[in-house]
Amino acid sequence: MNAVVPSLYLASQSPRRRELLQQIGVVHAVINASIPEQPAPGETALDYVQRLAREKAAAGFAQLLKQQLPLAPVLGADTLGLLDGKILEKPLNQDHAHTMLRQLSGRTHQVITAVALHSSTRQALRVSTTDVTFRELSDREIAAYWETGEPQDKAGSYAIQGLGAVFVQEIRGSYSCVVGLPIEATCELLREFAVPWWTPAAAECAS
């Protein structure tokens, strides 16, 4: 059987982003695109998430050329959470996670995902924002959640697509934005770059 040629490269190691592309039938492959992830002095959260998405896509395309792989657009994405205008980071330890989840308890925070596509001729970007409201959380369940291991490497200390779903009272906006790749915004970009979806061969994408 001939290898499936990707119509898109994903410049991300996120299994959730890959699953979302597979869900809509996009034939893709993962390409490495390591870049520094640190806000510049005075850079707003919105500017930061957009810059990272663009830089990841550009770095991925540079790798594409370096490895002399078949050319196709490269998708870069970045997601961050905001509470009171402050970025929700990955927890440093259990106490840090407890503090973040206690702050999120009973309140609404924002999740922003920027998606960029980079080809040999141009680059384009879309941004999606979703409001996520948590119910009131008890200290006991926050501690129990930490023991599951799930929040330890998650921005904001929770995963909406995992066990952390039980904390979410309401979302306003795109669910897939919170997971890490807003499908509707991504499809706008795919259409612009003539990248097809609903492709049966997507199931054959290399792991």
Side-chain angles (χ1 to χ4, degrees):
M1 181 182 295
N2 294 329
V4 176
V5 177
S7 55
L8 180 80
Y9 291 90
L10 174 63
S12 172
Q13 297 299 315
S14 166
R16 291 158 295 282
R17 292 190 177 118
R18 179 142 215 202
E19 288 165 4
L20 287 167
L21 287 175
Q22 288 175 330
Q23 177 184 326
I24 60 173
V26 177
V27 178
H28 68 283
V30 173
I31 192 162
N32 183 53
S34 298
I35 62 166
E37 297 191 20
Q38 184 68 35
E43 188 174 38
T44 67
L46 182 58
D47 288 341
Y48 175 52
V49 73
Q50 292 181 84
R51 175 173 63 81
L52 287 187
R54 290 191 182 100
E55 289 183 356
K56 288 177 182 179
F61 196 80
Q63 282 296 315
L64 196 66
L65 297 175
K66 182 178 179 180
Q67 298 177 35
Q68 299 182 329
L69 296 170
L71 292 183
V74 176
L75 186 153
D78 194 72
T79 302
L80 59 80
L82 287 175
L83 180 67
D84 299 331
K86 295 181 63 176
I87 295 175
L88 297 167
E89 302 172 344
K90 293 180 181 180
L92 300 174
N93 49 44
Q94 183 175 2
D95 288 342
H96 188 204
H98 186 100
T99 298
M100 276 194 283
L101 290 169
R102 171 53 54 214
Q103 291 172 338
L104 294 174
S105 175
R107 300 188 62 196
T108 298
H109 63 279
Q110 289 70 47
V111 177
I112 305 172
T113 296
V115 184
L117 251 62
H118 189 111
S119 73
S120 57
T121 58
R122 67 193 189 98
Q123 188 180 82
L125 179 133
R126 293 289 186 279
V127 179
S128 180
T129 301
T130 298
D131 288 337
V132 181
T133 302
F134 271 24
R135 60 174 173 77
E136 294 286 346
L137 311 181
S138 70
D139 290 337
R140 183 176 179 178
E141 64 183 331
I142 289 174
Y145 182 49
W146 174 264
E147 292 302 322
T148 69
E150 183 175 271
Q152 296 178 16
D153 63 344
K154 303 294 189 298
S157 303
Y158 79 97
I160 195 171
Q161 75 281 2
L163 303 174
V166 302
F167 297 154
V168 178
Q169 179 176 309
E170 180 183 9
I171 67 168
R172 292 187 294 279
S174 165
Y175 170 81
S176 54
C177 167
V178 186
V179 178
L181 190 69
I183 289 176
E184 62 293 329
T186 299
C187 285
E188 288 181 12
L189 289 173
L190 297 180
R191 186 180 297 110
E192 287 183 23
F193 284 73
V195 176
W197 56 82
W198 295 349
T199 306
E204 301 176 37
C205 289
S207 61

